[in-house]
Amino acid sequence: MLGLAATLFEVPKAHACSCVGSISPGEQFEKSTAVFAGKVADIEAGDYSNTVHFDVERAWKGVSTTTLALTTSGSSDSCGYDFEKGKEYVVYAYSSDESSLRTSTCSRTQLVAYAYDDLAYLGAGYTPAPGQPATVAKEPGDPLLPFIGIGAAVTAAIVLFTRRKSKRQK
């Protein structure tokens, strides 16, 4: 009887995080302060947020160093991204004061292994210079970047279509 009463009065866990719709790589790029790919070197867990240290391998916007740190909420219920040490991510980060980067589950931040559309849009990017101070600089957008991204997406679609067609003919 007590078990039944506990079941009847069980309150579902509330989730405060909700993201509004999906956003394209181009839209996310424009809204971000920094965009980079890197491997998680360390994670410092705090009371309410985690500081995640990255070894930056490639950058597309706002990154001038090969290492940087950003924060994310310590809970996925508060839209915190659950990074894992040693894994590689494409990260879309934002900042209100150009010194502290943040990211969340509502951005397109994801494992590099799943970031096909993002990598096709972003293109080659650049390698940040080692030994540079860890600053985040807002850069003006490259006017050719959307065309490069569209060209990469069209090329990827053609390759995919050709492979599927050749598999069907076998």
Side-chain angles (χ1 to χ4, degrees), residues 39-46 49-54 69-74 81-87 89:
K39 182 183 283 189
V40 175
D42 192 27
I43 300 172
E44 295 175 42
S49 65
N50 295 332
T51 301
V52 185
H53 297 268
F54 285 90
L70 60 78
T71 58
T72 188
S73 175
Y81 196 94
D82 190 21
F83 290 101
E84 292 182 48
K85 187 175 179 179
K87 294 201 174 179
Y89 297 86

Side-chain angles (χ1 to χ4, degrees), residues 87-158:
K87 294 201 174 179
E88 296 180 40
Y89 297 86
V90 171
V91 179
Y92 292 88
Y94 55 93
S95 172
S96 57
D97 62 9
E98 292 190 28
S99 64
S100 60
L101 291 173
R102 299 189 57 76
T103 195
S104 73
T105 56
C106 293
S107 73
R108 290 188 61 91
T109 295
Q110 60 189 306
L111 287 166
V112 166
Y114 302 123
Y116 307 112
D117 293 341
D118 299 81
L119 294 171
Y121 172 80
L122 293 169
Y126 61 92
T127 304
Q132 294 295 315
T135 60
V136 177
K138 291 192 177 186
E139 300 175 352
D142 184 345
L144 295 178
L145 193 58
F147 298 107
I148 294 169
I150 291 168
V154 169
T155 303
I158 291 170

